[in-house]
Amino acid sequence: MSRAAVGVIGSGNFGLAISNLLAVNQDVFLFTRREVKRDQINSEHRVSDTRLAKNIYATSSMEELCRTCQIIFPIIPSAHFRDVLRTASEYLRPSHILIHGTKGLDIHESIEKVDNYQAIRKRHIHRMSEVIQLETSVLRVGCLSGPNLAKEIHEGQPTATVIASDYDEVIEAGQHVLNSDRFFVFGSHDLVGAEYAGTFKNIIALGSGLLAGKGLGKNIQAMMITRALHEVIYLGKELGSSSRAFLGTAGIADTIATSLSEHSRNYRVGYTFAKGKPLDDIVNSMEEVAEGLRTIKIAYFLSKNYKKHTPIIDTIYRIFYRDLRLDRAIEMLMRYPYAQDVDFL
C-alpha cells in the first residue's frame, strides 16, 4: 500500500461508501474493530453485498492506520465518537488532518449515562470537530456533509458534498482526495453551521418518514420539511450557528435527500414507526444507528430550556417518546397559529 494512503475510521455503510470514493484517487486504509469484517474485506473485497475497490486495505490496528495516513476520515456513530478518538489519540499528531463524517452530537457523560436529557444545556454538547480537538493533538479538522446516501454512492450515482473547515488546507486536501467525475466537493469555512445542519436534518427525516408511513402525500411532507427547517435554524442560531449553512449543501440539500428517500435510516425509522412497529423493535432490528432518535431528544430539551418555539420538534419528540398519536399530532400542527412564512433571513 502507498505511503500516501488516506485513512477511514469506521466500516459502516457510509464509511464503506467514502472508502470507495477515496479509492478512485489513492489507496485507502480502513479501520474496523471487527476481525471477521477485516478479513472479508482483505480477501474478498466486499462486505455482504457491498463491493469494495481492491486498493482498500482493512486493518484492526489504529496505530498502523495513523502511522500510514496523514489524512483520516472518522465516520463513527456520535455515541461512540469520543471513545474511539481517545483510543486513537496516542497515535495522532498535530500533522494529521481529520475530516469527520458523523452527523450527530457528543453529549456529556453526566447527561447520557443516566438518560437525563431534561438537564441538557449548551455546555453539555460538543460538535464532532470539538471532540477531535479536545481528545487529540490534531489542530486541522473539518467535516464532510451533504446529500450522500450510501446506497446511491455504492451504485455509482453522482452527487456532491461539502467539506467545511476553518483551514483552507483542510478543504483543499479533502477536495484533492475525494473529487471525481461522480463526486463533487464544495468548500466552506462555516464549520459550525455545516455540523449543526447535518445533525439536525435527521430530525426532519424522522418526521417525513412518519407522514409517509401514515400514507400522506408530498404536499404535507413538503410543508413539514419547510416549517421544521425554520425550527432547526432557530436552534442552530441559539447554539452559535448562522442560518447560511442550513440553506446549502450541508443543510437543505441533505435534508431533501434524507427526508424523501427510503434509503435514509431516519426516514425508515419514522416510516416503520408510523406503520405500528414498536420503537424498541425498530432499533433492535437495525444494523446501524439512526442518529435522529438521539438528536430529537437533544433538540427537544434544548428548545425547552432556552424557551424556543419549536412545535414540530416538540411533536416529533412526543410521538416517539411520549406516546402522542400521529393522527392527533397532525391535527395539532395543522391548527398551530404560524404567523409568518419566512422570518429567519
Side-chain angles (χ1 to χ4, degrees):
M1 301 292 289
S2 167
R3 291 291 296 178
V6 175
V8 175
I9 302 175
S11 58
N13 281 331
F14 191 45
L16 296 177
I18 293 300
S19 296
N20 264 338
L21 289 170
L22 290 166
V24 172
N25 297 321
Q26 60 275 303
D27 295 330
V28 177
F29 266 69
L30 173 62
F31 176 83
T32 177
R33 288 177 171 174
R34 296 174 58 185
E35 294 182 0
V36 172
K37 183 179 282 191
R38 177 199 66 193
D39 295 341
Q40 184 182 35
I41 292 171
N42 291 335
S43 62
E44 303 176 27
H45 306 293
R46 67 178 180 86
V47 173
S48 300
D49 295 330
T50 300
R51 294 187 176 276
L52 298 175
K54 292 185 178 180
N55 59 329
I56 295 174
Y57 169 76
T59 178
S60 295
S61 169
M62 189 70 77
E63 180 181 8
E64 180 184 25
L65 179 126
C66 295
R67 185 180 67 245
T68 307
C69 307
Q70 182 187 17
I71 303 173
I72 299 173
F73 289 79
I75 303 174
I76 312 153
S78 60
H80 308 300
F81 195 94
R82 187 180 289 268
D83 288 341
V84 174
L85 265 293
R86 283 174 176 167
T87 300
S89 62
E90 64 178 301
Y91 310 116
L92 291 168
R93 301 290 179 264
S95 59
H96 280 102
I97 291 175
L98 265 62
I99 304 171
H100 77 83
T102 299
K103 297 174 182 178
L105 295 170
D106 174 79
I107 312 172
H108 193 276
E109 60 183 2
S110 64
I111 299 293
E112 190 153 34
K113 279 188 175 180
V114 294
D115 197 23
N116 189 29
Y117 282 76
Q118 61 267 27
I120 202 166
R121 298 291 192 279
K122 285 186 283 189
R123 67 180 182 273
H124 295 129
I125 63 175
H126 290 99
R127 294 173 285 111
M128 298 299 108
S129 63
E130 293 177 309
V131 174
I132 293 171
Q133 293 176 317
L134 287 168
E135 296 295 341
T136 76
S137 62
V138 176
L139 301 174
R140 296 176 297 172
V141 301
C143 84
L144 178 75
S145 192
N148 303 147
L149 296 168
K151 182 175 175 56
E152 293 187 6
I153 292 174
H154 287 307
E155 292 172 349
Q157 296 189 36
T159 187
T161 195
V162 62
I163 290 180
S165 176
D166 295 329
Y167 298 91
D168 287 335
E169 59 194 297
V170 174
I171 297 170
E172 291 165 4
Q175 290 174 323
H176 176 72
V177 298
L178 273 173
N179 262 328
S180 70
D181 59 359
R182 57 190 173 96
F183 197 70
F184 185 82
V185 183
F186 295 98
S188 170
H189 292 109
D190 188 1
L191 177 58
V192 176
E195 288 182 293
Y196 281 130
T199 294
F200 288 137
K201 58 86 187 176
N202 287 323
I203 295 172
I204 304 175
L206 286 175
S208 182
L210 287 168
L211 296 176
K214 197 64 179 174
L216 299 174
K218 299 303 180 186
N219 286 338
I220 192 65
Q221 277 183 282
M223 282 307 304
M224 189 282 302
I225 291 169
T226 304
R227 299 311 308 181
L229 185 62
H230 286 222
E231 295 184 15
V232 298
I233 288 174
Y234 297 145
L235 197 55
K237 284 184 174 180
E238 180 65 41
L239 296 170
S241 170
S242 70
S243 61
R244 186 173 181 178
F246 288 87
L247 303 178
T249 305
I252 196 166
D254 199 2
T255 299
I256 292 170
T258 55
S259 296
L260 298 176
S261 174
E262 62 184 14
H263 301 315
S264 161
R265 288 193 296 274
N266 293 283
Y267 175 93
R268 290 201 309 271
V269 167
Y271 185 92
T272 308
F273 189 80
K275 291 295 186 183
K277 189 171 183 178
L279 184 57
D280 287 344
D281 291 350
I282 296 172
V283 172
N284 292 334
S285 67
M286 296 184 71
E287 294 182 1
E288 295 188 296
V289 173
E291 291 279 2
L293 290 173
R294 190 165 179 260
T295 304
I296 187 62
K297 292 198 287 185
I298 297 171
Y300 173 79
F301 286 109
L302 279 176
S303 68
K304 287 289 164 282
N305 290 333
Y306 291 102
K307 296 180 171 53
K308 297 296 177 182
H309 295 291
T310 53
I312 294 177
I313 289 174
D314 297 355
T315 300
I316 294 172
Y317 171 81
R318 291 173 62 195
I319 289 170
F320 281 106
Y321 295 108
R322 297 286 176 85
D323 297 322
L324 175 64
R325 289 189 304 107
L326 186 52
D327 289 337
R328 174 59 178 154
I330 294 170
E331 180 184 348
M332 289 166 53
L333 288 176
M334 291 299 291
R335 294 176 180 274
Y336 190 83
Y338 292 105
Q340 292 179 287
D341 186 15
V342 176
D343 55 0
F344 53 80
L345 293 177

